[in-house]
Amino acid sequence: MLLVAGLGGLLAACSSGGDSNELLVDYQRDLARRLDLAPPTPAAPDNIGAFPDRRERLVAIPETREGMLNVFALRECHITTLVAERNSTLGRVAPASRMWRYELTLWQRLTDCLESEVPERLAEADRERLERLARTKTEQLPRA
């Protein structure tokens, strides 16, 4: 009995009480009347054109390469494990969403590290490397 009542309610909810365009036009007219504005004239939307091919949507981001000792010098920034996960077999074939998450996390850690007391304890070359990496990732993040 409950199943029949639920199915009846579902069918009633799905039934068309009116065309959705008519409902939208009625709503716009009512809203315009309440705001003392002229109601908009219904018009067909412009065509947005074809969506670009996948190849056209992809943006190449050059790889950032650093030696293991150079990255190890920045171990206080907590990026070594992150970089190792990215360079693992699974990290190299990760989906685009996972790669974006990696880029975001790396950028956040580099930025947080720059704003901490860590750069003061680094050697000059390592501090410059940290600044360069953070700057590079800041530029690449919107494209990622």
Side-chain angles (χ1 to χ4, degrees):
M1 193 63 153
L2 186 60
L3 180 64
V4 172
L7 186 58
L10 183 62
L11 288 174
C14 293
S15 69
S16 178
D19 185 30
S20 61
N21 287 335
E22 290 176 20
L23 293 173
L24 176 64
V25 170
D26 290 343
Y27 170 75
Q28 289 174 336
R29 284 186 191 141
D30 185 47
L31 185 62
R33 184 182 50 78
R34 290 174 191 245
L35 296 175
D36 293 326
L37 297 172
T41 56
D46 295 332
N47 190 354
I48 60 171
F51 200 68
D53 291 333
R54 177 175 169 77
R55 200 172 279 154
E56 294 172 11
R57 295 188 315 253
L58 294 178
V59 177
I61 299 174
E63 281 197 32
T64 304
R65 295 298 222 174
E66 289 292 332
M68 194 59 179
L69 290 176
N70 295 338
V71 172
F72 185 71
L74 302 176
R75 65 189 171 277
E76 291 183 65
C77 296
H78 307 290
I79 64 170
T80 52
T81 314
L82 185 65
V83 171
E85 288 174 2
R86 160 62 176 86
N87 290 337
S88 71
T89 304
L90 289 176
R92 291 185 183 273
V93 295
S97 60
R98 183 93 173 150
M99 297 297 279
W100 180 83
R101 186 71 185 154
Y102 161 78
E103 292 290 334
L104 178 63
T105 305
L106 180 60
W107 173 79
Q108 286 173 331
R109 289 186 186 176
L110 289 170
T111 304
D112 290 346
C113 189
L114 263 178
E115 295 172 356
S116 70
E117 69 281 348
V118 171
E120 297 169 6
R121 296 190 301 261
L122 294 173
E124 184 66 28
D126 293 331
R127 189 175 324 116
E128 289 173 1
R129 184 175 300 108
L130 174 61
E131 291 170 354
R132 182 176 43 79
L133 283 171
R135 187 174 47 253
T136 301
K137 290 302 169 184
T138 300
E139 293 169 1
Q140 289 178 349
L141 191 62
R143 293 181 296 197

